[in-house]
Amino acid sequence: MQHTRTWSDVYGSARALFEGRAGGHAWLIAAPPALARLLPAQLESVDGKGRVALVVHEGLTPLLAAVQQEEPRGVIVVAAGALSRGPALTVPDTLVDDLGGVPFRDGGAFPAWVGADGQGDRAGECAAASAVAGLGVPVVVTTPDGVAAALTAWMDRTPHGR
């Protein structure tokens, strides 16, 4: 995939777009700033169709906005460890006002989730995955160095995906 655009959203989150061959699907990669360093190289190494949007976010509101804007086939959440499922959880309501964007409220109750990849048997809390699942969008949770493999595998098991 080729990096074609970088910008900041209204919340102060870094956003980037990577495009592959014509056709395919839209995907979203979501990561906190501390885990985002490897992601451009991971995405550029993927040989596939469609487009991949990357959002480097703090809090859940920017992630939820990106999911609604991009309307992805699925979301890969980048975390410290790969997970296959997670429990419902409640994120305390907070006001976020220091990211260079507009102030916003963050938090809420989010459902349990099961990874779309059907891999592994490691459960754990992941607020980002729960938030994505709350929108009814399939989600996979992996580590920064596993993003290319997770995306390629997801494309391969999706009709017209790669």
Side-chain angles (χ1 to χ4, degrees):
M1 304 226 120
Q2 180 179 357
H3 177 234
T4 58
R5 182 173 170 219
T6 302
W7 71 101
S8 292
D9 67 15
V10 68
Y11 301 104
S13 299
R15 301 278 304 270
L17 182 63
F18 295 79
E19 295 180 283
R21 296 184 309 279
H25 301 281
W27 305 92
L28 179 68
I29 311 297
L35 299 176
R37 185 179 59 81
L38 299 175
L39 300 182
Q42 285 281 309
L43 295 173
E44 288 174 343
S45 74
V46 172
D47 178 26
K49 298 187 292 186
R51 64 183 172 84
V52 177
L54 169 64
V55 59
V56 179
H57 64 95
E58 291 198 43
L60 300 176
T61 300
L63 169 59
L64 294 172
V67 172
Q68 291 171 333
Q69 179 184 10
E70 297 296 333
E71 298 179 343
R73 171 113 183 166
V75 176
I76 295 177
V77 171
V78 180
L83 299 172
S84 59
R85 66 187 182 285
L89 54 88
T90 299
V91 176
D93 188 42
T94 58
L95 176 66
V96 180
D97 189 19
D98 62 348
L99 301 177
V102 298
F104 60 92
R105 288 228 165 271
D106 204 48
F110 302 101
W113 60 277
V114 174
D117 59 355
Q119 300 295 314
D121 192 29
R122 185 163 179 234
E125 286 188 3
C126 182
S130 291
V132 169
L135 293 176
V137 177
V139 64
V140 168
V141 177
T142 192
T143 58
D145 61 346
V147 168
L151 181 58
T152 299
W154 207 346
M155 288 176 162
D156 285 346
R157 63 181 182 269
T158 303
H160 311 289
R162 196 162 85 112

